[in-house]
């Protein structure tokens, strides 16, 4: 499916708000299976845009979690420790 510039911008916006793909499809009037296929194909611009937008939000949240861990939050320390372990496994 070809997406309009408006739909592409909306995909980016809603991905950054952590909407499910099926909800994004409904909001932009697209077929959920087609959008899911487009996003699952890591080589498409839609997929890259979707994942980048989502990762930008995750980045902002992780910054806050690291700051909270540095202030002694046990929950944040546990999350940051998990992120460190995941990162080491992926290296």
């Amino acid at each position: 499916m070809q997406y309009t510039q408006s739909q592409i911008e909306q995909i980016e916006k809603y991905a950054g708000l952590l909407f499910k793909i099926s909800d994004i499809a409904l909001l932009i009037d697209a077929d959920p299976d087609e959008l899911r296929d487009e996003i699952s194909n890591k080589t498409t611009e839609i997929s890259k845009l979707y994942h980048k937008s989502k990762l930008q939000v995750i980045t902002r949240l992780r910054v806050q979690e690291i700051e909270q861990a540095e202030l002694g939050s046990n929950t944040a320390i546990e999350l940051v420790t998990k992120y460190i372990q995941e990162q080491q496994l992926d290296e």
Side-chain angles (χ1 to χ4, degrees):
M1 175 177 177
Q2 292 290 341
Y3 297 97
T4 66
Q5 185 61 37
S6 176
Q7 286 175 312
I8 292 168
E9 290 168 3
Q10 288 177 314
I11 290 168
E12 180 179 27
K13 173 186 171 182
Y14 295 134
L17 293 171
L18 306 178
F19 278 64
K20 298 183 300 184
I21 294 172
S22 56
D23 291 338
I24 295 172
L26 180 65
L27 289 166
I28 68 167
D29 196 31
D31 180 89
D33 292 328
E34 288 181 16
L35 181 58
R36 190 171 288 105
D37 288 345
E38 185 85 13
I39 290 170
S40 68
N41 180 351
K42 305 289 189 212
T43 63
T44 68
E45 289 306 312
I46 295 291
S47 178
K48 292 173 186 175
L49 181 78
Y50 172 88
H51 290 288
K52 183 176 180 179
S53 184
K54 192 170 87 168
L55 284 170
Q56 288 171 340
V57 172
I58 291 169
T59 299
R60 289 193 304 269
L61 292 173
R62 286 198 180 183
V63 167
Q64 292 176 3
E65 290 167 352
I66 290 168
E67 289 170 353
Q68 290 298 310
E70 290 172 343
L71 293 173
S73 166
N74 288 332
T75 303
I77 290 169
E78 289 174 17
L79 287 171
V80 171
T81 300
K82 177 183 157 212
Y83 300 147
I84 292 168
Q85 292 169 345
E86 289 173 351
Q87 184 182 40
Q88 288 173 333
L89 288 173
D90 194 49
E91 292 175 346

